[in-house]
Amino acid sequence: MSAAEEGSVFHRARGRTLDAFPAEKESEWKGPFYFILGADPQFGLMKAWSTGDCDNGGDEWEQEIRLTEQAVQAINRLNPKPKFFVLCGDLIHAMPGKPWRTEQTEDLKRVLRMVDRAIPLVLVSGNHDIGNAPTAEIVEEFCQTWGDDYFSFWVGGVLFLVLNSQLYQNPSQCPSLKQAQDQWLDEQLSIARQRHCQHAIVFQHIPLFLESIDEDDDDYFNLSKPTRKKLADKLIHAGVKVVFSGHYHRNAGGTYQNLDMVVSSAIGCQLGRDPHGLRVVVVTAEKIVHRYYSLDELSEKGIEGDLMDLIKKK
């Protein structure tokens, strides 16, 4: 694959937007559609978790390769095709500066190149991709490898916002980047209010909360209480309906006022009892319907009839 072709696969988010969906063609509602959401392929975690050395383990990732290949094959077989495939962060396990980071990145790219070219990739940054306390240099490395760390795009009258949740979790090493994302998000939410978009949907790696807006700070799996409440109120005021995230390696979620927080389990390592899987998200004029499928279920049976009826409804 040439550099230009690779750029068209992994660098679709440039200039804070996604080139696969020109806003001038996608800003009006055109009818129901669906997309596929995955999270945490995290090449290397399964070995690291099994050995109890998550900081320095992870020198093998064949299991994650096979699981992500299965996910890609299942997505490619879907008919009609999803509008896009979004990965909600922790693409790889090796933190910045750790061994095997380059090798994990190259192996994940090799697998993701197999996604049908008619299905754009939407890539979200996770804490393992840019570090628990990211620096400007590491964020730039992510952008050069995978595309912008935060951006927006329109699909059929729906506004999608991709956020860098590490800038909320710990911006201590890059406060100017947090300030820039905050300003950008305020501008995007103003557009959402002014344009009266059909829906507004957010993707980020770390959940606002796992079950309740009032739950205790976890210091890892959710955002701090003041941060989550401020961000959630801002999203609700702009009409955002749902936030999708990963990070927890289990399915979870809850509702705050009229904002749904959907935490989706992993393609890769499971930390609970959920199967390795993907989430099918159907967007209709009235609602956003989602269902988690194991990789085996989606591979063998595809999308169930009730969801297909919503997708095909005119």
Side-chain angles (χ1 to χ4, degrees), residues 158-175:
V158 177
L159 177 62
F160 292 91
L161 302 169
V162 174
L163 302 182
N164 179 345
S165 56
Q166 284 310 117
L167 298 181
Y168 296 112
Q169 187 78 328
N170 186 351
S172 60
Q173 302 301 307
C174 54

Side-chain angles (χ1 to χ4, degrees), residues 205-224:
H205 179 61
I206 298 179
L208 298 172
F209 54 87
L210 300 176
E211 296 181 350
S212 168
I213 192 74
D214 296 316
E215 70 196 21
D216 291 339
D217 295 356
D218 181 88
D219 293 327
Y220 187 78
F221 282 121
N222 57 15
L223 296 182
S224 70

Side-chain angles (χ1 to χ4, degrees), residues 107-151:
D107 278 347
L108 179 58
K109 281 190 169 186
R110 177 178 56 80
V111 175
L112 292 180
R113 287 188 194 104
M114 294 188 290
V115 175
D116 190 312
R117 294 296 294 274
I119 305 171
L121 286 170
V122 177
L123 301 172
V124 181
S125 63
N127 59 302
H128 280 262
D129 305 314
I130 60 175
N132 287 324
T135 64
E137 292 75 17
I138 293 300
V139 172
E140 179 59 24
E141 176 196 283
F142 177 90
C143 295
Q144 292 299 321
T145 304
W146 299 110
D148 284 351
D149 59 320
Y150 62 90
F151 55 95

Side-chain angles (χ1 to χ4, degrees), residues 15-86:
R16 304 301 177 197
T17 191
L18 199 70
D19 67 10
F21 300 109
E24 63 273 13
K25 296 181 180 179
E26 294 287 346
S27 58
E28 299 298 326
W29 178 251
K30 298 177 182 178
F33 64 89
Y34 81 103
F35 61 88
I36 300 295
L37 182 140
D40 302 274
Q42 204 160 341
F43 281 22
L45 177 58
M46 295 177 79
K47 170 68 180 296
W49 188 261
S50 70
T51 62
D53 187 3
C54 287
D55 290 334
N56 298 300
D59 58 340
E60 297 175 11
W61 48 92
E62 285 300 320
Q63 292 179 87
E64 287 95 338
I65 288 175
R66 289 195 297 271
L67 290 164
T68 308
E69 286 176 340
Q70 183 182 3
V72 169
Q73 291 162 5
I75 292 167
N76 286 346
R77 283 196 291 266
L78 294 173
N79 183 28
K81 295 184 187 302
K83 282 289 188 178
F84 57 86
F85 171 33
V86 56

